[in-house]
Amino acid sequence: MAGDKRTELLTVRQVLDELGGISRRTFYRWRELRLAPACIRLPNGELRVRRDVLNDWLEERAEGAAT
């Protein structure tokens, strides 16, 4: 069905890879500083980042982005 597509949930490892291989330590530091994309904490404690949230976060940081 159109519009029923679920948003992809990315693991921290997938996000690190998409960001050019930044370290896990850097990502968690960004989280402490509230600079990282918003995460979802699953009941088992693992973090996930929605694909659309990551894409929006990257777009907001593009140099010369229209505001």
Side-chain angles (χ1 to χ4, degrees):
M1 291 170 53
D4 192 32
K5 183 178 180 241
R6 291 190 174 158
T7 300
E8 181 182 10
L9 294 178
L10 303 171
T11 64
V12 171
R13 169 59 45 208
Q14 289 172 310
V15 172
L16 299 179
D17 290 345
E18 292 225 8
L19 295 177
I22 67 164
S23 72
R24 184 173 293 269
R25 180 177 180 168
T26 296
F27 180 80
Y28 282 98
R29 180 69 176 145
W30 288 353
R31 278 184 45 82
E32 288 176 16
L33 298 172
R34 299 191 182 273
L35 299 173
C39 297
I40 297 168
R41 185 171 300 279
L42 300 178
N44 64 2
E46 292 183 10
L47 297 177
R48 295 292 184 271
V49 177
R50 287 179 28 182
R51 163 66 67 193
D52 59 335
V53 169
L54 178 61
N55 290 344
D56 290 347
W57 182 84
L58 287 169
E59 190 63 33
E60 290 169 4
R61 279 145 190 81
E63 290 189 13
T67 54

